[in-house]
Amino acid sequence: MRTRSFASFGVTAAAFWLGAAAPALQAQQPTAEDDPVAALVSRLTLDKYKTTLKGLTQFGDRRQGTRRNRDAVDWIEAQLQAFGCTNTERIVYTFPPPPPPDAAPRGTPPRRGAGRRPAPNEGDLTTATGGRVGRRGPGSGGSTLFGYRGSTGVNRDLMAQPDERIRELNREEPVDGERSEVYCTKVGTTRPDEMYIIGAHMDGHGVNEAVNDDGSGTALVMELARVFSAPDVETERSIRFVLWNNEETGLNGARAYVAQRQELQGVEDPPGSGRYPEPRWVGMVQHDMMLWDHGAPGPDGLVSRNQRPEADVNVEFQSNSERADDSMRLAFLFKAANERYATDYPAAVGPHMTNTDSTPFMDIVPSISLRENERGAQVGAGWDPNWHQPTDVWTTYTDDDFRLGLNAGQTTLAAIAQLTGAGIDN
Ligand SMILES: [Zn+2]
């Protein structure tokens, strides 16, 4: 039975969530002995995070529609089960998605520009050339940018990958058809019908190992599944750990989840069983590109090889979403959790969550994303020169980079432990 609980921390979190005064910051970091949240956070280690992330690199860029992508989904499922998150399930869907019922029949010439939806990472910044300085108005991310810009885009040239082993891993091209993505669930003890969704996308592209985009988020979510699934950990509310597929083609895996599961929320099945196949969504937290915060490009368009001293975890909500106010509160709760529990890096809150798997949720449920940089302004302006490039490989990153991802994991773990009323049996 539970002998220590997070009840007092849960009350603090709930008060903050409801808009009461923010909890006073403690001068000292809490210790694992007197604070179960700290005890859980201490179970995340840099070594374990790196081991899980390295495991993902054996499947190259895990591009959707290929054998290496399917093998990676199978491997992730096996890992989740080995970590104790044994109730794995899959969402199955087809890509490309079928046209909506009111779409024009095949063969009808499309109207100019009609129905074109930009790919998630295809913003209005992708044609930027290196070293350009200037100001631009609000774009898809709603940001206004000052400063130099680096080039961005997707590299699909197999021969641009200098490492022969990685090149061979990525040789197969995608084919249309069935796709799947995997999730597992920590079932809550007293509120099993309420659930936080914790996600990252396992697919990548760019003839690389997709280490940062988004092995870094995928490993983080898998590590949180490990910590919360330990036999001595209980949570009052449920938590679902989801590894999205087809993010890079237009958030198709997350869109399929919403399309298939939204209506099932909160339904007890069978009635009277206390089981909820789809608990009611109370928050969605996405993790996408966690490692690289090396500052802005210089006048030559190049970015430093060293992490900048101001490196931080960016927690973003979407200011024009229907749940913007609640999402902002959730983001600041994460910032407070970071200040109290993260070991190395601070967190900053921003209003431009965009172009990732939390987008399909943002008008339905409070939604945030955690990232290495501000998505709308900094990532879009070329702050991460490895984004979708052959350099997104294991050897590009140092422990300073990996530790930034670990700190994002500490932040989400601490916040979600408080929000779900986590406790440790002993
Ligand atoms: Zn990504």
Side-chain angles (χ1 to χ4, degrees):
M1 76 174 249
R2 171 185 296 186
T3 54
R4 291 193 291 164
S5 100
F6 296 169
S8 59
F9 300 99
V11 167
T12 306
F16 189 77
W17 184 239
L18 294 169
L25 293 173
Q26 307 247 324
Q28 269 190 320
Q29 284 247 324
T31 62
E33 258 176 35
D34 55 26
D35 175 2
V37 179
L40 284 184
V41 169
S42 72
R43 295 181 179 185
L44 278 181
T45 69
L46 186 64
D47 277 353
K48 288 195 165 98
Y49 176 59
K50 286 174 66 179
T51 298
T52 301
L53 180 42
K54 187 78 164 63
L56 288 160
T57 66
Q58 68 187 291
F59 307 102
D61 65 9
R62 306 182 296 280
R63 190 172 173 192
Q64 66 84 30
T66 63
R67 171 88 189 261
R68 61 187 182 276
N69 175 274
R70 293 188 294 276
D71 287 350
V73 176
D74 291 344
W75 182 84
I76 289 166
E77 180 164 22
Q79 290 293 118
L80 290 172
Q81 294 188 355
F83 287 167
C85 209
T86 53
N87 56 1
T88 55
E89 295 179 76
R90 300 249 184 144
I91 296 284
V92 179
Y93 57 97
T94 57
F95 183 82
D102 57 348
R106 269 174 194 265
T108 308
R111 276 180 295 120
R112 214 179 145 78
R116 184 184 179 278
R117 179 188 287 159
N121 294 315
E122 179 199 356
D124 48 359
L125 296 164
T126 54
T127 56
T129 52
R132 193 152 64 80
V133 66
R135 179 183 171 181
R136 53 180 291 275
S140 63
S143 62
T144 301
L145 176 71
F146 297 84
Y148 297 108
R149 293 169 54 174
S151 61
T152 58
V154 181
N155 195 321
R156 298 200 192 285
D157 176 11
L158 196 61
M159 297 314 292
Q161 175 51 258
D163 185 313
E164 189 182 347
R165 181 186 61 85
I166 298 172
R167 199 161 61 224
E168 289 312 307
L169 279 174
N170 292 321
R171 189 169 281 280
E172 185 195 350
E173 286 291 309
V175 291
D176 294 350
E178 189 177 282
R179 307 281 186 270
S180 79
E181 62 195 2
V182 64
Y183 61 85
C184 67
T185 309
K186 173 74 176 181
V187 178
T189 52
T190 59
R191 310 293 293 272
D193 57 326
E194 296 181 2
M195 176 172 80
Y196 284 87
I197 299 172
I198 310 297
H201 70 89
M202 52 70 63
D203 67 309
H205 57 183
V207 290
N208 50 37
E209 295 177 313
V211 169
N212 191 27
D213 187 12
D214 184 24
S216 63
T218 299
L220 184 162
V221 171
M222 293 170 70
E223 283 296 293
L224 263 57
R226 177 180 64 77
V227 172
F228 279 112
S229 300
D232 60 347
V233 175
E234 283 186 351
T235 60
E236 293 168 4
R237 293 185 174 82
S238 299
I239 311 169
R240 180 158 289 169
F241 306 94
V242 192
L243 293 316
W244 313 111
N245 203 344
N246 279 90
E247 191 271 356
E248 301 288 8
T249 52
L251 320 179
N252 308 96
R255 293 187 199 283
Y257 184 98
V258 171
Q260 295 182 26
R261 313 286 305 174
Q262 181 177 3
E263 297 303 319
L264 305 178
Q265 284 181 79
V267 177
E268 190 183 33
D269 183 24
S273 66
R275 287 197 213 127
Y276 298 85
E278 192 67 29
R280 187 168 65 79
W281 307 341
V282 291
M284 197 276 157
V285 184
Q286 169 76 354
H287 304 83
D288 193 355
M289 302 171 71
M290 314 311 297
L291 304 183
W292 186 275
D293 195 355
H294 291 209
D300 54 3
L302 300 179
V303 175
S304 170
R305 295 173 66 88
N306 300 315
Q307 191 182 65
R308 64 172 173 157
E310 306 86 355
D312 59 8
V313 176
N314 291 88
V315 183
E316 300 187 278
F317 64 98
Q318 186 65 13
S319 56
N320 62 359
S321 66
E322 293 195 10
R323 304 301 302 269
D325 284 357
D326 288 342
S327 300
M328 179 177 67
R329 281 186 205 289
L330 184 62
F332 276 103
L333 187 142
F334 270 61
K335 180 171 166 58
N338 168 278
E339 287 179 356
R340 194 170 164 116
Y341 294 104
T343 50
D344 308 282
Y345 298 97
V349 172
H352 303 307
M353 180 192 80
T354 180
N355 290 354
T356 191
D357 295 305
S358 41
T359 299
F361 291 89
M362 70 184 183
D363 293 329
I364 305 168
V365 62
S367 301
I368 58 173
S369 69
L370 275 68
R371 290 183 178 275
E372 62 195 11
N373 283 313
E374 294 175 33
R375 173 63 181 87
Q378 298 171 348
V379 178
W383 284 39
D384 187 338
N386 310 305
W387 182 34
H388 300 163
Q389 297 302 309
T391 50
D392 190 2
V393 293
W394 184 258
T395 48
T396 293
Y397 305 99
T398 69
D399 275 0
D400 285 344
D401 301 315
F402 291 122
R403 202 173 285 110
L404 185 62
L406 177 74
N407 274 246
Q410 294 168 334
T411 302
T412 295
L413 176 54
I416 291 297
Q418 294 174 75
L419 290 166
T420 59
I424 301 179
D425 286 344
N426 55 12

